[in-house]
Amino acid sequence: MIWCIFLGAAAATRSGDLIAMDTLVTSLSAENGWKVKLFAYVVTMAFFVFLIVCGVRWMGFGFMEYSTVMNLPMYVVYLAMPVGGVLAVMKTISATHDHPP
């Protein structure tokens, strides 16, 4: 389920289906709306980079832990964070190229 969440977030990033308020963007001129949207992309990418860094750190802890039910190394679970973050960054970059000013 954790993998589905992070991979789904990456997919939603590309299609623009993440939660957003576009009232400000649509009320501004096209050029200024694009600047606001670009700022939002930068903040979003910063969050995803933070997610990647945290996920890699958590993976370090996961090498020593095993899930109690499935007896699966926890790094496999924690790997969802950096993988989802990397995919989301790539999708955000491609989304900025799809919607130039």
Side-chain angles (χ1 to χ4, degrees):
M1 188 161 74
I2 293 170
W3 274 91
C4 289
I5 290 168
F6 285 103
L7 294 179
T13 301
R14 176 75 163 104
S15 60
D17 289 334
L18 292 176
I19 296 173
M21 291 179 36
D22 60 351
T23 306
L24 179 63
V25 174
T26 57
S27 66
L28 296 172
S29 67
E31 182 180 339
N32 289 334
W34 171 246
K35 289 176 186 176
V36 169
K37 197 174 246 191
L38 188 60
F39 175 74
Y41 283 139
V42 169
V43 171
T44 301
M45 284 185 47
F47 171 74
F48 288 136
V49 168
F50 173 75
L51 189 68
I52 293 166
V53 171
C54 286
V56 169
R57 287 183 183 169
W58 282 24
M59 278 179 51
F61 298 123
F63 284 108
M64 297 176 271
E65 299 177 358
Y66 284 85
S67 72
T68 54
V69 175
M70 297 179 61
N71 199 26
L72 185 73
M74 287 303 291
Y75 79 87
V76 174
V77 175
Y78 298 143
L79 182 64
M81 287 175 68
V83 168
V86 167
L87 291 173
V89 166
M90 292 182 346
K91 302 281 186 175
T92 302
I93 291 170
S94 66
T96 59
H97 291 294
D98 289 347
H99 302 95

